[in-house]
Each structure stands twice: as structure tokens, then as C-alpha cells.
Amino acid sequence: MMFNPDRLRDRVSYIAEIFEKRLREVVTRGELLDLITPVDPETGSRALKEVMGEGVFPIYGVDGSVVLEDRLEIALIYVCAAAFKGSLRISEEVRFDVKNAELVEPLSTGVAIPMWLEDLPNVEEVGSASTDYEISRGMENMAGRLMRLAELKLLREIMTKERKGIFLIDGLISGMIGPLSRDVRTLLKRPNSSVFEKVDTSHGRVTREDLLVASSLGPNFYIPPRGAYLKYCILGALIRALDEGEGWVDIPSLGDIVGIDQGKVLQGYRGLKGLSRSLKLNLIERRGSYVRADPKLKSYWERVIEASHSIIDHIFSDTADHPLMLEGSWITGLDLSAVSLFTLYEVIELSLKEEALLIGIAKDTGSTDLQRTLINLSLIKRGSEPMEIEAKSDKGFLALLSSLRSEELPTPWRTIEYDSAFTTTFLDSSGGRPIVKPARRVIARERLAVKSYFQLRSSSRDRSLRSPVFCYDRPYYPRFDEELLDELECEERGRRTRLRPFLEFRRRSKIGDAIIFALSNMDDPNVVEEMGHNHLLFLADKFVKALARQAKQAIKGVAELELTPLTRK
């Protein structure tokens, strides 16, 4: 039977019509527009002035790339990252200059790493069978970890130097934290010591206790007193007490310090003791009814950060015999994740100290945060009926909604900003009264990052023709964001508890308006591939990919020159 392309086209058109009909019934509901906030130039300019203040500020876009080659049982990895710089002048008027963006030569980094495939299990989990697929996947994982570390290294160096400005990175900040934190937990469960424990710092050597505390608390981030986080919340309070003397705290008074009842204090204390036993760690000491954190933990963050800097310097140094060998030990993929997590926390801390705008941007995301929780939560709070949306992703749903209701949604627009904790939740209505529950086991901690979707451009000839929908996130900035905290009842591990996340239901987010105004002035609509994206990230992406292509040819040449003689022996 002959293939009939016309018939196939008709069938594809038919199922497309079914899908569009389903969504059209949803997008005609007016309440959905309450979730989307157009940002006009006057509103955005005013918000940016309030957030940044007057002055001249740098704007940086950071991106990375990687090349992976396999020659004669040797893996050859090259990673690089680069930053392009623009500027922002805020006075009576706000002026952006990204069209004259420049690559500042010291602000690029890269490293080439050779490795025998038989050594790969020493640095990356490849499975017990070590099949070709598992080896290939292990190499790709290692290359990806190194690339992300190169980007964070460069971003940290820029922010340490510039302090205040707008700093853009490819990828979501909240999307990095979860996987990196899981890797550190896995690292702590391994019997072998981490490379961190072999690095000397001015505050002594890093311990496994330091790694746990740093991965959980960061430099002293907010930890919610609920669920799996309760024990870390109490541990954080005990570590802060070390700054005020010997650190001994009466157990009953912990409730007043943390703001919880005695039942939760005992629950958290037992959880802390259980964690210490299971991981064989010395976290707390007890004397009668008094308890304190191990005094060595007072300088946990200084040790971890200094060790991270040493490991990064070694990996990206031209003088090291091998970038992934330090003090006779392999720097494993889990070690790299730990270094990346602590560097990311350091970058967030720098942005909070200076109130610099740190923004992560994702082009491709299949997340469904709005559909799982926020759309219906918003409808219920407004007294409307919830709805069921059958879209593969929030991004796709918003693109269709924007196109079908283009007259009511001028660009640029953004959705409401919401706490990244909602990336791990869903709204359960099965019991009658809707309640927020974890999509898996635990609701991620709130007040760490804030997320939103946005769209910047539409055609002047046809408003329904628009640039892609992208996603951004950024740190939670207490001075601007505290007034947007909400309180929700949720259920976690079968228990009812309270959640206090950032949620832009009651008033507008100044930082959200400032970010969209900034982003809408930082693309080039004359370049189709760049329309609605970001000029600096676009340039950085093209530059590192060109570097990677050049490196690929050089790697092949070196491999042929150095390895071919081995085949003749």
C-alpha cells in the first residue's frame, strides 16, 4: 500500500483540532488573565529605579559549552564558559546598552581533561555492568558537571569584582539546587572520604559535618520549621548561638528561638540525633537540659568555601598534572556537585548582600507548576471554580493562551511570581477541601528562589505572532519580597502544617516588574533566533559553541598525534 501524505496531514490536523478545542474551552475563562501581568515601560522603569537605585551598573550574561571525544579508550573532555558585558545607566531616564556588548578576555574560562575509560568508575557512577551505554552516560554526566562548574566559577568571579549590577546565567537557579543537594546527600552516604576532607584551609580541614551543614543551611539561609527541614532549622539556631558565647541553649527555649511549640522542638531534636547516628556525624552535644551545636561547626561555611575555591583553582589551573587528581585522590562527580552547590550558594549570598539582580533564564522547560497547583489555588482564593488543563507544559499552555488572547495580553508580560517551593507541589481536591501536597515526598523549602514565565515580543502586523515563552527565576530578596509572603495550609508526610511562601496574589512584585522591564530592553528583535531572548546570553552561547568547535578540532589533532604511536606498539 502506497504512503498517502495527504491522508496523514488530515489526521494530524484532526488531532490538532481536538487539542486546540480542549484548550480553547479553558483559555476563554477570564480569571486566567489575573495570573498574567503586562509590564508597561513606565511601571517597569519605576520599579527598576527603586530596586537598583541611581548609577551606572554592569550587565553580564554567562553561558558554557562542552566537547566530549572518545579515542582509543581515552575520554577527552573540554569545557568552557564565557561572559559578555553590557551596561545600564539609571538617572532620570533608564538607558540600556547591550548592542555594544563586549567579551572581557579574563572573563572566560576553560579546561581540557583526558581520562582513561577504565578510570571513569573512580569519578562517576557508571553502573555495575559498565556497558557502552552506561560509560557514555557517565562521561556525559561528568562533562555536564564540569560545564556547570565553569559557569558558576565565572559568575562568582564577576560578582565578587562588580558587586552590584544585573547578572544573567543560562538555566534556572532553583533547578540547579535540588539535583546538586541530592548529590551531596549521596556523597555523605558513601564510605569513601570526599576530596574536601583532604584540602587544608585557614580554619582547618573540612569535615563531613561541614559538608552536611553547608549543603543544608548554606551561609545561613532561611530554613522552614516543618517536615524534613525541622531538624536543620534547629541545627541552624544552635550554630547561630555559638556566635553569642559557648552556645548552650536550654531545650525548652528552642521553641521561642525558632518560633515553634515544644512538640516540634522535641521532634526536631530527635530528628537531629537520628541524622547524626545514621551518618555517623558529631553535630550536637548535650549537658542535662542544655544542648549546643559542635563548636567546630561555627566556621563551617568559611572552611567549605575556602576548600571549594582551592578545588576550583586546581581544576582550572594550567599547572596541575591532572585537573581531576588532587592530593593523590580523584575529584569525583559528587565532589564537583558539592563544589557547584557551595559556589551557587556563594553567588546567591553575594546577590543578597548587594541586592544585585541575579537571574537564571531557561529556554526549554517542561514544568507544570501552574497547572498542578497555582492556577487552581488562585481560582479558589478568588471564589471561582477550579479547572482541569490538559497541556504538556506551562510554557506551551501560556504560549497558546497568549496567542489566542493577544488583544488582552500586550507584550512584554510575565506571570505572577511564585515561590520555587511550588515546583514540588500539587493541589489535591480528592478529599473535598483542596490542600497543597508534595508531588513526591517533601515540599521544597520556601523563600530561597522565586520563579515566573515571561514573553517579550509580538509582531506589529499580527499581535498573535509572538516570541517564545521563557522562564526565569531569581533569589528571594527579603527587603522587597517579605510583603508578598502568603500563608497556606499543606499536608506533608501525612501531617498538616503551615507553609509561608512568596506568592504574588495580593500585590505586584517590584522585582518582577524590574526584571521584565530589563529583559525587554536586552534582546534584538531583528535577529529571529534571538527575538524575545537575551542578547548577552545569545552572544555568550554563540561564542562558547565556537570555542567548543575549535577545541574539538584541536582535541582530535592532539589525540591523533599522541595516541597513534600507542597503536603501533
Side-chain angles (χ1 to χ4, degrees):
M1 181 178 176
M2 295 289 291
F3 170 67
N4 187 338
D6 292 333
R7 185 61 178 152
L8 176 61
R9 185 173 63 249
D10 292 341
R11 289 170 176 168
V12 171
S13 177
Y14 174 72
I15 63 170
E17 287 175 7
I18 293 175
F19 174 73
E20 186 173 338
K21 181 181 178 183
R22 288 174 186 163
L23 287 185
R24 195 178 290 274
E25 292 172 355
V26 172
V27 300
T28 52
R29 290 189 57 168
E31 306 101 310
L32 284 174
L33 299 185
D34 294 333
L35 293 169
I36 296 178
T37 304
V39 181
D40 62 80
E42 183 179 349
T43 300
S45 173
R46 186 169 58 248
L48 188 62
K49 287 178 181 179
E50 188 169 345
V51 170
M52 299 290 293
E54 292 192 354
V56 179
F57 306 100
I59 310 171
Y60 286 92
V62 177
D63 201 0
S65 189
V66 63
V67 171
L68 186 58
E69 285 290 317
D70 179 3
R71 287 284 188 276
L72 295 176
E73 298 300 310
I74 290 182
L76 298 161
I77 302 172
Y78 174 77
V79 297
C80 59
F84 274 78
K85 179 183 179 183
S87 65
L88 164 65
R89 181 182 295 273
I90 301 178
S91 54
E92 290 186 8
E93 294 185 351
V94 178
R95 295 186 178 277
F96 292 85
D97 182 8
V98 294
K99 287 187 169 32
N100 298 308
E102 58 179 345
L103 173 75
V104 183
E105 277 304 323
L107 298 183
S108 59
T109 190
V111 62
I113 300 173
M115 181 181 301
W116 287 106
L117 293 183
E118 66 182 31
D119 287 327
L120 186 62
N122 294 323
V123 296
E124 187 67 46
E125 183 67 50
V126 295
S128 57
S130 296
T131 63
D132 289 346
Y133 168 75
E134 288 172 329
I135 289 172
S136 176
R137 184 178 176 185
M139 290 167 53
E140 290 171 1
N141 287 343
M142 196 68 185
R145 295 180 202 268
L146 285 162
M147 184 189 78
R148 180 57 75 190
L149 181 58
E151 293 173 337
L152 292 171
K153 167 188 180 289
L154 189 53
L155 184 60
R156 190 250 305 164
E157 290 171 355
I158 293 168
M159 293 185 69
T160 301
K161 175 186 175 185
E162 297 283 8
R163 297 292 177 177
K164 190 152 187 175
I166 299 178
F167 306 95
L168 306 155
I169 188 169
D170 183 51
L172 296 180
I173 298 163
S174 57
M176 300 179 210
I177 291 173
L180 294 176
S181 298
R182 285 194 295 272
D183 282 350
V184 177
R185 290 196 294 272
T186 302
L187 176 65
L188 289 168
K189 293 174 183 176
R190 295 289 171 88
N192 300 330
S193 63
S194 165
V195 73
F196 274 88
E197 299 172 64
K198 302 189 177 184
V199 178
D200 288 313
T201 76
S202 58
H203 297 271
R205 287 202 169 186
V206 174
T207 64
R208 293 172 71 245
E209 287 84 356
D210 292 334
L211 295 176
L212 172 72
V213 175
S215 65
S216 305
L217 306 185
N220 192 18
F221 292 146
Y222 169 77
I223 306 296
R226 60 171 174 83
Y229 297 102
L230 181 57
K231 54 183 174 286
Y232 299 112
C233 177
I234 289 175
L235 180 59
L238 292 173
I239 291 173
R240 288 191 293 275
L242 292 172
D243 293 330
E244 301 170 5
E246 293 187 355
W248 291 103
V249 177
D250 187 24
I251 291 177
S253 68
L254 272 172
D256 296 329
I257 295 172
V258 178
I260 55 177
D261 60 41
Q262 288 303 307
K264 275 197 167 185
V265 169
L266 294 176
Q267 179 190 340
Y269 177 67
R270 286 194 296 268
L272 202 49
K273 289 203 302 182
L275 180 68
S276 299
R277 282 195 305 269
S278 65
L279 294 178
K280 297 181 174 62
L281 302 176
N282 297 315
L283 296 173
I284 53 175
E285 300 174 353
R286 183 166 180 174
R287 189 169 65 190
S289 65
Y290 287 82
V291 65
R292 71 173 178 179
D294 186 329
K296 295 173 189 168
L297 292 176
K298 183 176 180 179
S299 303
Y300 77 91
W301 185 246
E302 288 81 2
R303 280 191 295 275
V304 162
I305 284 300
E306 192 174 329
S308 295
H309 291 178
S310 296
I311 295 170
I312 289 173
D313 291 343
H314 173 82
I315 291 172
F316 292 93
S317 167
D318 289 333
T319 60
D321 290 334
H322 194 284
L324 296 182
M325 286 287 289
L326 181 61
E327 300 293 334
S329 297
W330 286 104
I331 300 173
T332 68
L334 296 177
D335 290 324
L336 292 176
S337 288
V339 176
S340 292
L341 179 64
F342 303 143
T343 306
L344 178 57
Y345 282 167
E346 186 182 10
V347 162
I348 293 173
E349 183 185 29
L350 286 169
S351 73
L352 295 177
K353 281 182 177 178
E354 303 295 334
E355 290 185 344
L357 282 182
L358 173 62
I359 308 168
I361 296 181
K363 300 185 287 290
D364 301 310
T365 174
S367 61
T368 55
D369 314 334
L370 297 179
Q371 296 176 64
R372 287 197 323 271
T373 307
L374 291 158
I375 289 175
N376 284 327
L377 188 62
S378 170
L379 292 174
I380 291 167
K381 276 181 172 283
R382 288 175 168 83
S384 301
E385 287 295 316
M387 64 176 69
E388 187 173 342
I389 301 172
E390 299 180 13
K392 187 177 180 181
S393 68
D394 289 338
K395 177 180 174 178
F397 171 70
L398 290 168
L400 184 62
L401 174 65
S402 174
S403 179
L404 293 177
R405 305 193 70 168
S406 56
E407 294 298 323
E408 300 159 276
L409 291 175
T411 53
W413 58 257
R414 62 175 176 85
T415 61
I416 59 164
E417 288 194 317
Y418 58 92
D419 204 295
S420 62
F422 287 108
T423 62
T424 60
T425 66
F426 75 102
L427 190 65
D428 184 10
S429 303
S430 61
R433 182 186 174 192
I435 188 165
V436 173
K437 292 183 177 180
R440 293 184 180 173
R441 294 179 58 199
V442 174
I443 298 174
R445 59 179 160 173
E446 63 266 35
R447 292 189 247 173
L448 182 58
V450 173
K451 186 177 175 185
S452 179
Y453 293 89
F454 67 95
Q455 188 175 56
L456 298 182
R457 297 281 176 180
S458 53
S459 170
S460 58
R461 296 182 179 180
D462 183 350
R463 290 186 180 180
S464 66
L465 298 177
R466 302 190 157 202
S467 61
V469 173
F470 296 113
C471 184
Y472 78 79
D473 71 351
R474 45 88 173 178
Y476 169 85
Y477 295 90
R479 185 163 76 92
F480 296 98
D481 294 335
E482 195 167 12
E483 64 182 12
L484 286 129
L485 292 179
D486 209 325
E487 190 160 342
L488 301 171
E489 186 179 44
C490 64
E491 185 177 305
E492 194 174 25
R493 294 182 170 180
R495 296 182 179 182
R496 294 292 174 102
T497 187
R498 306 299 295 180
L499 196 67
R500 283 205 77 211
F502 174 99
L503 200 50
E504 194 186 2
F505 277 171
R506 292 178 287 115
R507 62 182 73 188
R508 288 181 76 116
S509 165
K510 292 171 184 171
I511 292 185
D513 287 343
I515 286 174
I516 293 306
F517 176 68
L519 293 178
S520 67
N521 282 277
M522 286 196 281
D523 73 330
D524 187 348
N526 298 314
V527 180
V528 174
E529 189 181 356
E530 187 185 333
M531 181 180 175
H533 185 30
N534 183 272
H535 187 58
L536 298 176
L537 287 178
F538 178 80
L539 292 176
D541 175 67
K542 294 302 178 186
F543 180 78
V544 292
K545 284 179 177 174
L547 280 182
R549 284 193 297 270
Q550 293 174 9
K552 188 170 186 176
Q553 297 303 316
I555 285 172
K556 286 181 177 179
V558 170
E560 293 296 331
L561 182 65
E562 297 295 328
L563 299 179
T564 299
L566 290 177
T567 64
R568 298 171 182 168
K569 292 182 180 180

